[in-house]
Amino acid sequence: MEGRIHSFQSLGTVDGPGVRAVVFMQGCPLRCVCCHNPDTWDMNGGTLMSARAVADKILRLRSYFGNDGGVTVSGGEPLMQADFVSELFGMCREQGIHCALDTSGCVLNSRVERLLNLCDLVLLDYKYTNDADYKKNCGCFKESVDLFLQKLQAMNKRVWLRQVIIPTLTDNTESLEKLYALKDKFSCIEKIELLPFRKLCAEKYEAMGIEFPLADTPEADTVKVAELQGLMEKE
């Protein structure tokens, strides 16, 4: 089976536990205002590669993974190519490689459920805590992501919840309290990661000739985001 691949990162350290090979899939149905990779949106872009060829690239890096690392498939939105990722994860698991999926959770069907069965860890990007912000700033319904999280709970999957902290959008107490309340409701959530909003992607938007929706929004202060996370974890 062939899939559309945007890019690879050989030795990632922020996409799950340990040192990881990161595969960025091409294609995404969402249009998030904070998206760092607008060049992954096009469903027909990227490079066609077989699952075997991608697995071979990952296997060549396995000596760097140690006991905790492995492969993370991100995007774009990997759920749009669920069958391909399932085949890839099947090959990796046969070799004892830990498989993590980085997803928005915007799609749930039988193909996605099959993929989830092959995941050792799911990094779920829980972008906002109310439906209005989801619809305005992503183009999907919060209900879809909640159903995805409920499925992960039912399947007893390990989950890391992640949210980008965007000044004036997600950096308020009400939003953070709702986010951390999910950890009490869903036992599958092992931890919550707060990620500071950055604008390194602005050049990509300019090169593509499209407007960056958050061009005038200040970047999040890394120290303050770390302090917020520490504060929320103590409560």
Side-chain angles (χ1 to χ4, degrees):
M1 182 180 294
E2 288 188 323
R4 292 188 175 275
I5 309 298
H6 175 267
S7 57
F8 292 90
Q9 183 178 358
S10 297
L11 303 174
T13 57
V14 294
D15 299 281
V19 176
R20 311 187 71 80
V22 186
V23 183
F24 295 92
M25 304 299 295
Q26 181 72 29
C28 185
L30 305 184
R31 294 296 181 266
C32 300
V33 294
C34 65
C35 181
H36 272 205
N37 300 304
D39 45 335
T40 66
W41 292 347
D42 183 4
M43 298 290 186
N44 297 310
T47 302
L48 281 173
M49 293 184 66
S50 70
R52 180 74 271 163
V54 177
D56 286 345
K57 285 177 68 73
I58 294 165
L59 288 171
R60 288 196 289 270
L61 297 167
R62 68 180 307 169
S63 61
Y64 297 98
F65 296 161
N67 295 326
D68 300 323
V71 58
T72 297
V73 175
S74 186
E77 177 47 70
L79 299 183
M80 304 307 293
Q81 300 187 69
D83 288 344
F84 175 86
V85 183
S86 291
E87 183 171 336
L88 175 63
F89 276 2
M91 292 175 179
C92 291
R93 288 171 66 92
E94 286 177 358
Q95 300 298 320
I97 294 176
H98 182 279
C99 296
L101 179 74
D102 182 3
T103 177
S104 67
C106 64
V107 179
L108 184 60
N109 52 40
S110 59
R111 292 179 175 182
V112 170
E113 287 187 32
R114 176 172 172 260
L115 169 57
L116 294 178
N117 276 314
L118 296 167
C119 296
D120 296 302
L121 173 69
V122 177
L123 310 176
L124 179 58
D125 300 320
Y126 202 92
K127 299 175 185 296
Y128 299 95
T129 55
N130 67 80
D131 196 52
D133 281 339
Y134 251 107
K135 285 186 286 189
K136 178 182 179 181
N137 300 316
C138 296
C140 75
F141 295 99
K142 176 177 173 292
E143 180 184 13
S144 299
V145 185
D146 287 334
L147 288 173
F148 191 88
L149 181 54
Q150 290 167 21
K151 174 59 68 174
L152 295 174
Q153 174 78 7
M155 297 175 73
N156 196 33
K157 287 292 171 180
R158 296 177 59 207
V159 178
W160 291 7
L161 219 59
R162 310 173 103 192
Q163 185 173 98
V164 177
I165 298 304
I166 307 169
T168 73
L169 281 178
T170 58
D171 61 342
N172 60 83
T173 302
E174 180 183 1
S175 176
L176 289 169
E177 286 179 347
K178 287 181 179 179
L179 180 67
Y180 275 82
L182 292 170
K183 198 170 188 294
D184 297 326
K185 184 177 179 181
F186 294 95
S187 59
C188 63
I189 299 175
E190 292 187 352
K191 70 175 182 177
I192 294 174
E193 292 185 315
L194 304 182
L195 311 175
F197 168 65
R198 289 285 177 263
K199 295 196 288 186
L200 297 174
C201 57
E203 291 182 359
K204 289 185 180 181
Y205 284 86
E206 184 176 354
M208 293 175 65
I210 57 178
E211 181 183 356
F212 180 34
L214 298 184
D216 296 327
T217 301
E219 291 188 338
D221 182 279
T222 304
V223 174
K224 289 183 178 179
V225 170
E227 290 174 351
L228 278 175
Q229 180 149 0
L231 179 63
M232 296 306 300
E233 290 175 352
K234 287 180 182 179
E235 292 186 356

